Structure formats: C-alpha cells, structure tokens
Amino acid sequence: MKVYLDYAATTPVKKEVLEEMIPYFSEKFGNPSSIHSYGRESKKAIDVARDKVAKSLNAKSQEIYFTGGGSEADNWAIKGVAYALRNKGNHIITSKIEHHAVLHTCEYLEKEGFEVTYLDVDDNGLIDLQELKAAIKDNTILITIMYANNEIGTIQPIKEIAQIAKERSVLSHTDAVQAYGNIEMDVEELGVDLLSISAHKVYGPKGIGALYVKKAVKLHPLVHGGAQERRRRAGTENIPAIVGFGKAAEIAYEDLQQHNKHLMKLRDQLISELMVKIPYTKLNGHPTKRLPGNVNLSFEFIEGESLLLSLDMVGIAGSSGSACTSGSLDPSHVLMSIGLSHEIAHGSLRLTVGDFTTQEEIDYVIEKLPPIVDRLRQMSPLYEKVKGDTKNV
Ligand SMILES: *Cc1c(COP(=O)(O)O)cnc(C)c1O
C-alpha cells in the first residue's frame, strides 16, 4: 500500500485542472501581449483565471498579481513594501515561526539596513496581540504574520492583526499559502493589504502563485522589463499554469465545507488513535485553531529521520520536523519556538491529509505506526529506563 500524507508539502494536480491546462501548451500558444487573435485568446484565458483567483479571495481582479509561486509572492510583498516605503520607515514586524520565504527575506533586509522584530509565539504557536501592539514603532512600515503554519497547523488571528496594523497606519501582509483552500478567505473582511497564495498546495500546478495587493498600496516592482502584471512583474506569462491555478482556485472554494469535513475527520482520528496507542506522545500546534488536515506529533526517545525512513519502507510518506532544510541537523525553528527541547523536536512527525486521503489509508497508518515507534524506541537507552510506564506526556 502507498499512502501519501504530505499534502502540506505539495498536492497532485486534479484531473479537471490538468484538462484545462493542456490546450494552452500547444494549440492555444499565443503571446498574450500580441494583438492578433492568438494573443487575444491567451489574454482572455489569463483574465478568466485572474477573475477566478480574485473571486476565491473576494478581491478585485486588478488586485491579483500572478507570481512564480508562494515564495516569490512572500519575497515580493516584503521587499516590495520595504523598498517602496523606505523613506517612511525601516522597521518590519514578523514572527519566529514564519516560512523561510518570509524569514530569510527579512534577514536579507536586515543586511540592507532594515530593522526586523521577530515575535515569539506561545506553546501552541500563537503570537501575542499585546506584544504585537507594543512592538509597533513610529518607523514600522509592515507587519507580516503567516495565516496558518505549515508545520504545526496553527491558525493566527489575522483579522485582529490587520486591525492593529491599520490603527497604526502600518501595512499588513500574510503568508496564506497553507490557509488557502482550507479556510474561508475574504480579503475585505480580513482587512489585510497583501496576501500570498500558491497553486500547488491546492491541487494546482507548481511554480505559480499570486500576491493580492490591495488597491492603492505602494509596491516596488519585482521584475522590470515589460507591461505584464500591471508593469510590476515583467515577463511573458506562464499561461498553462495560470489557467490551472484559476481552475484549482475555483474548485477549492466550490465545496470548502465538504473538503474540511473530510480532512478533519481523518485528522482527528489520526491524532486521537495514535496518542492512545503510542505512549510519550505530544501533539504540537493548537488543539482547535488548527488546519483541518494537519497532524504534528512528537514521540519521545526516537529520531524523526529514522521514523520517516521506516514509514517509507511500508509505503507511508510523511515529513519530520528535524530536517525541514535537508542537510541540516538543526531541529525546525517552528518546533523550537513553541518550546520543544532538541530531543523532542527531533522525534517529530508531520502527517498532512488531503482530498484524496481515504479511510483505509488512515487505518493502515494507525496499524503500522505504533509498532514502528516501539521498535525504534527499543534501541534507545533512555527509553529503557522509563519502559513500562505508559503515561502520555
Ligand atoms: C509552501 C509554502 C510556501 C512556498 O510556496 P511555493 O509555491 O512552494 O514557493 C510559502 N509559505 C508557506 C506557509 C508554505 O506552506
């Protein structure tokens, strides 16, 4: 049996999405900037896709800019605001548990003379709104806090964060890549100025994403050269990907309730059964303010990498908190920020369910995982000492 439980890393392209993309590789190949019928056909396809993405966010079509993915959207939002508002101020506020596309961009800007505050999070991964308020200074230009965390699934109070920013005339951005397609999303209601999304996390193609930029927000262009994306991101558009993203966006919000119901049922089953069957297990992330498909567990006395390899041998694909940046031995910055010790962070496993996950697959994981954890623990000298006691931590 093969079981894919890494939907937070990427998702397969849905059949309906792929079908809409295919003609735009060959028959419908015109350059959207051309004025002839070939060009117009491609331009029309982009317009339709942009409308669909805009609709999924309750944004206006002119506020949607296609990018080469979520990382690019994050980079652009942060650098674009920083460079556009350089004369107004140089201070940016973010959190310690952001995706690297945000964290490394902020670190880069620090080298460029900007000042960045990295807010702490509590044990569940939530930022403190009072701390956020206190961090705002006269030179603060941007607050960028992720909507939902990719490792532990915790959902931040983005509406409140945007409100706090607005009261102090500071722009707000959110990396909504994980939240998109899992949470009802209305940019008007949220009140954010910028928001990043990516297609391949919602059953669309890789290498395409979008940045929502509220009307009148000043943003430095990303790529100079042409008139594409309202002169802010030059380059001939990736039309098949854009078309696929449009379709994926449409499907994602067609039946969000049903999607969430399916994911939450499987997620809750994994969490509750694994925690009962495996002693010394801790759930990471918020118990309720949590993405519908996210399970993140720490098993004491084992090493996440060996667990992943053992799971892979029985066909189960998950992800661990230890080598998020492959080649690095440091545990994930997210797990460290919620207060886990190095040892416990190293024994973490993220399983993320999606639209194609079945009950049979979940039953299979619940059957296979406990004996694997037990076998790995038998090799641990620390476990030897506490064996016999089956209290959960
Ligand atoms: C996947 C992800 C990204 C990066 O998106 P890409 O399209 O892969 O560049 C950014 N932020 C979060 C929270 C993500 O999960």
Side-chain angles (χ1 to χ4, degrees):
M1 192 156 179
K2 276 194 78 161
V3 183
Y4 181 77
L5 290 180
D6 205 9
Y7 281 81
T10 196
T11 61
V13 171
K14 281 187 176 165
K15 211 179 278 147
E16 310 92 290
V17 171
L18 180 63
E19 272 165 18
E20 292 220 357
M21 291 172 68
I22 284 171
Y24 291 93
F25 285 104
S26 49
E27 297 137 55
K28 306 181 180 186
F29 64 90
N31 187 321
S33 299
S34 305
I35 59 161
H36 45 62
S37 63
Y38 296 85
R40 287 200 307 273
E41 183 175 49
S42 293
K43 174 150 194 325
K44 175 83 188 138
I46 294 175
D47 290 345
V48 169
R50 200 186 305 278
D51 289 347
K52 285 179 180 172
V53 172
K55 190 171 170 225
S56 72
L57 298 171
N58 191 32
K60 298 181 190 74
S61 293
Q62 314 90 274
E63 295 172 320
I64 301 300
Y65 293 81
F66 287 116
T67 66
S71 300
E72 185 182 308
D74 285 340
N75 268 258
W76 189 13
I78 299 166
K79 289 182 216 164
V81 166
Y83 292 137
L85 300 186
R86 198 164 213 167
N87 293 329
K88 186 172 176 258
N90 70 339
H91 180 231
I92 295 166
I93 300 172
T94 187
S95 82
K96 288 187 177 163
I97 62 162
E98 299 296 310
H99 189 273
H100 282 146
V102 168
L103 282 181
H104 292 174
T105 302
C106 287
E107 287 161 16
Y108 161 78
L109 286 174
E110 282 187 283
K111 294 196 192 101
E112 292 283 295
F114 289 86
E115 188 194 329
V116 182
T117 299
Y118 300 89
L119 296 174
D120 281 317
V121 293
D122 66 14
D123 293 353
N124 290 326
L126 285 174
I127 67 152
D128 181 322
L129 295 177
Q130 295 312 318
E131 243 171 72
L132 169 65
K133 279 185 193 166
I136 301 175
K137 307 190 289 184
D138 290 339
N139 62 340
T140 307
I141 50 174
L142 178 70
I143 295 171
T144 173
I145 304 286
M146 72 199 316
Y147 202 145
N149 185 270
N150 44 303
E151 290 185 43
I152 56 174
T154 300
I155 299 168
Q156 305 288 347
I158 295 302
K159 190 177 169 180
E160 285 78 2
I161 292 167
Q163 184 61 36
I164 289 168
K166 195 175 289 171
E167 278 163 15
R168 299 287 299 270
S169 303
V170 172
L171 292 178
S172 59
H173 164 252
T174 187
D175 172 346
V177 173
Q178 287 290 333
Y180 188 66
N182 289 309
I183 297 175
E184 211 54 82
M185 214 167 280
D186 178 334
V187 287
E188 293 291 327
E189 155 100 14
L190 279 177
V192 291
D193 297 292
L194 304 111
L195 178 144
S196 306
I197 53 177
S198 177
H200 77 99
K201 304 284 174 78
V202 292
Y203 311 93
K206 294 168 185 49
I208 185 79
L211 180 63
Y212 156 78
V213 185
K214 197 188 185 78
K215 198 170 165 249
V217 166
K218 287 208 180 74
L219 191 72
H220 202 71
L222 178 67
V223 182
H224 301 269
Q228 293 93 349
E229 302 303 303
R230 302 166 76 80
R231 296 203 168 275
R232 283 167 155 178
R233 185 190 187 258
T236 303
E237 297 88 340
N238 184 350
I239 301 152
I242 289 173
V243 167
F245 189 11
K247 185 65 183 174
E250 187 178 57
I251 298 174
Y253 280 92
E254 242 164 30
D255 209 349
L256 188 69
Q257 301 300 329
Q258 199 52 42
H259 158 92
N260 282 351
K261 224 176 107 188
H262 175 68
L263 266 57
M264 283 159 97
K265 176 171 166 265
L266 302 177
R267 172 197 71 183
D268 292 344
Q269 213 170 348
L270 274 176
I271 294 174
S272 58
E273 300 216 14
L274 291 175
M275 289 194 68
V276 166
K277 289 195 166 165
I278 309 173
Y280 302 101
T281 300
K282 178 185 178 304
L283 175 68
N284 298 315
H286 200 282
T288 55
K289 292 171 187 162
R290 178 180 204 97
L291 284 174
N294 177 285
V295 176
N296 190 310
L297 298 168
S298 285
F299 306 108
E300 273 192 77
F301 317 112
I302 61 165
E303 213 267 304
E305 290 293 284
S306 355
L307 179 58
L308 280 188
L309 291 174
S310 303
L311 284 173
D312 189 45
M313 284 199 269
V314 294
I316 301 168
S319 151
S320 93
S322 54
C324 182
T325 354
S326 45
S328 143
L329 286 176
D330 292 338
S332 121
H333 64 287
V334 177
L335 297 177
M336 296 308 285
S337 297
I338 59 170
L340 299 195
S341 67
H342 265 66
E343 292 74 35
I344 297 192
H346 269 306
S348 300
L349 174 71
R350 180 187 73 180
L351 298 174
T352 41
V353 301
D355 287 357
F356 298 115
T357 311
T358 64
Q359 182 65 55
E360 291 67 45
E361 292 176 336
I362 296 302
D363 293 343
Y364 179 75
V365 174
I366 291 169
E367 179 203 320
K368 292 289 179 190
L369 183 54
I372 289 175
V373 171
D374 193 52
R375 182 171 53 78
L376 292 171
R377 281 179 174 170
Q378 298 307 325
M379 305 176 205
S380 157
L382 280 171
Y383 186 59
E384 205 54 27
K385 293 203 188 104
V386 297
K387 216 162 49 177
D389 179 2
T390 52
K391 186 174 78 53
N392 267 356
V393 282

